[in-house]
């Protein structure tokens, strides 16, 4: 089953913040976050393992709520370079490293 | 460092023709390897994955097949392409530490 991402799209002005959510109906072992620029391959941002940890990557951070089976990606003080489609990839069970990706969230940052 | 090579970058093939896309990984041994497909404006659909030589798991029944003849080589094939096979094909390696994707092959079936 595919994780559900929300919102589907978001438009920001440079400097604004955004939150992208990723929800699963199955118990999660890990959640990956990737960013894909138009016409390019996805690039790994971060991974969160079950345990409710929060990770940071410059002004991009993420949390993992094991009880809610949900992860959120936080983009603060957005930059033009943040534009792209963000995908969460979820792994269930932890035994085979097989990721199932959500449909993506298109983030557009305007000047 | 680990690198992943995927070719060709673009491909235009007629309906009914065969397909062979190749992916190779350098700098690691016994990697988990994956083939994903992305239709225009859509998400990433897992097609096949492999945890070792000759070990292939198929996720979606379809017109495609995969093979892993060597530890760091992963091949996606089709005997007869369909229009619906068009898309952006991505090879990836990785596991719990995150995936690294190849640069992708944009396939157009005409």
């Amino acid at each position: 089953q595919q994780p559900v991402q929300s919102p589907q799209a978001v438009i920001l002005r440079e400097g604004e913040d955004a939150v992208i959510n990723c929800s699963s109906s199955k118990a999660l072992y890990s959640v990956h976050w990737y960013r894909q620029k138009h016409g390019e391959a996805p690039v790994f941002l971060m991974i969160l393992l079950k345990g409710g940890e929060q990770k940071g990557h410059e002004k991009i951070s993420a949390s993992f709520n094991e009880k809610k089976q949900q992860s959120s990606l936080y983009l603060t003080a957005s930059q033009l370079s943040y534009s792209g489609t963000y995908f969460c990839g979820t792994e269930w069970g932890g035994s085979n490293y097989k990721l199932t990706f959500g449909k993506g969230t298109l983030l557009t940052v305007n000047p | 460092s680990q690198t992943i090579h995927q070719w060709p970058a673009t491909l235009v093939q007629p309906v009914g023709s065969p397909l062979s896309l190749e992916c190779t990984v350098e700098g690691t041994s016994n990697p988990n390897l994956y083939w994903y497909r992305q239709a225009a404006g859509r998400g990433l659909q897992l097609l096949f994955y492999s945890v070792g030589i000759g070990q292939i798991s198929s996720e979606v029944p379809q017109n495609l097949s995969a093979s892993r003849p060597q530890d760091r080589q992963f091949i996606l094939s089709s005997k007869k392409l369909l229009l619906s096979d068009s898309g952006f094909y991505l090879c990836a390696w990785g596991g719990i530490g995150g995936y690294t994707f190849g640069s992708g092959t944009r396939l157009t079936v005409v």
Side-chain angles (χ1 to χ4, degrees):
Chain A
Q1 279 185 324
Q2 191 175 35
V4 177
Q5 284 187 237
S6 62
Q8 291 184 336
V10 58
I11 299 175
L12 301 174
R13 291 255 182 227
E14 205 171 0
E16 292 181 339
D17 302 339
V19 180
I20 299 172
N21 297 306
C22 176
S23 298
S24 170
S25 58
K26 295 171 63 173
L28 292 172
Y29 179 79
S30 70
V31 178
H32 298 214
W33 285 98
Y34 295 78
R35 177 171 61 208
Q36 184 179 30
K37 300 280 188 177
H38 182 68
E40 300 179 4
V43 174
F44 174 73
L45 294 176
M46 66 188 75
I47 180 174
L48 299 101
L49 302 178
K50 68 176 183 178
E53 64 179 296
Q54 182 153 351
K55 281 197 162 184
H57 177 72
E58 296 180 343
K59 293 180 181 177
I60 301 175
S61 62
S63 64
F64 183 6
N65 188 318
E66 191 177 344
K67 285 185 178 179
K68 292 185 178 180
Q69 303 303 330
Q70 178 178 311
S71 177
S72 296
L73 185 71
Y74 306 94
L75 300 105
T76 59
S78 59
Q79 306 169 13
L80 296 177
S81 62
Y82 286 5
S83 292
T85 301
Y86 289 78
F87 292 97
C88 69
T90 53
E91 181 194 1
W92 303 298
S95 62
N96 57 19
Y97 309 128
K98 184 179 66 174
L99 284 187
T100 302
F101 286 91
K103 292 185 177 180
T105 296
L106 177 61
L107 177 74
T108 304
V109 181
N110 293 320
Chain B
S1 63
Q2 301 90 351
T3 56
I4 181 167
H5 303 279
Q6 189 180 343
W7 66 92
T10 59
L11 197 57
V12 179
Q13 293 284 95
V15 169
S17 64
L19 173 75
S20 181
L21 302 180
E22 189 165 342
C23 170
T24 59
V25 180
E26 294 179 0
T28 185
S29 59
N30 197 31
N32 291 337
L33 297 173
Y34 308 86
W35 278 110
Y36 282 87
R37 177 171 63 197
Q38 187 175 33
R42 304 288 295 278
L44 297 155
Q45 180 187 34
L46 178 62
L47 301 176
F48 301 94
Y49 70 97
S50 172
V51 298
I53 296 175
Q55 300 179 60
I56 308 295
S57 295
S58 174
E59 288 296 300
V60 182
Q62 60 213 329
N63 185 41
L64 302 169
S65 62
S67 62
R68 186 167 175 177
Q70 300 180 42
D71 182 44
R72 287 171 284 181
Q73 184 184 30
F74 203 22
I75 298 172
L76 182 69
S77 305
S78 173
K79 292 183 179 179
K80 289 185 177 182
L81 284 169
L82 306 172
L83 287 174
S84 57
D85 291 326
S86 293
F88 190 40
Y89 288 80
L90 291 155
C91 179
W93 77 269
I96 201 65
Y99 283 19
T100 299
F101 285 88
S103 53
T105 295
R106 195 162 302 281
L107 172 67
T108 304
V109 183
V110 296

